Amino acid sequence: QVQLVESGGGLVQAGGSLRLSCAASGSIFSINDMGWYRQAPGKQRELVATITSRGSTNYIDRVKGRFTISRDNSKNTMYLQMNSLRPEDTAVYYCNADVATYYRTTSNYWGQGTQVTVSS
């Protein structure tokens, strides 16, 4: 009953910018922690950034200073502003969230992913 849908991925040149969005819908009572993950070909999925329901953020060192995570609780939407993109940022980016529904306790959900490709 809960879906996460990412959008905003695409092909950009090195140094360019993209803004990813993650829209949550369904039987949502509240959304707690949210985060962006990414998975490059042949590599394990890794955490990129997290944001709590109150807006506290954390980033991995490789994106700190270049990426900004944010959320709009009124729209049940999370964003990832990516600047100064590098080829090594190329990956499928996934939205993740802890969501409390009206029928069950909090569960973890994943989006389907959106492809980000950065050319050199």
Side-chain angles (χ1 to χ4, degrees):
Q1 290 187 310
V2 175
Q3 293 184 355
L4 304 178
V5 179
E6 302 96 334
S7 62
L11 174 64
V12 298
Q13 295 186 188
S17 298
L18 284 174
R19 193 189 195 202
L20 306 183
S21 298
C22 171
S25 62
S27 301
I28 300 171
F29 180 76
S30 64
I31 303 178
N32 299 318
D33 293 350
M34 303 184 77
W36 287 99
Y37 290 72
R38 66 185 181 185
Q39 187 166 23
K43 303 191 72 175
Q44 293 191 108
R45 189 172 300 185
E46 66 173 351
L47 178 68
V48 177
T50 61
I51 184 167
T52 70
S53 61
R54 297 181 180 180
S56 297
T57 60
N58 284 289
Y59 303 87
I60 60 171
D61 290 341
R62 284 187 289 176
V63 308
K64 199 167 188 177
R66 299 188 298 121
F67 292 9
T68 302
I69 188 172
S70 62
R71 63 193 289 172
D72 186 338
N73 291 333
S74 68
K75 298 180 179 179
N76 288 332
T77 301
M78 176 179 65
Y79 306 95
L80 185 67
Q81 178 66 48
M82 304 185 293
N83 298 325
S84 301
L85 283 163
R86 304 195 278 250
E88 50 263 44
D89 294 319
T90 295
V92 177
Y93 283 71
Y94 296 91
C95 174
N96 180 266
D98 291 327
V99 181
T101 70
Y102 289 102
Y103 306 102
R104 291 296 188 191
T105 56
T106 301
S107 297
N108 188 255
Y109 296 87
W110 289 94
Q112 84 289 349
T114 185
Q115 177 71 50
V116 171
T117 303
V118 184
S119 62
S120 60

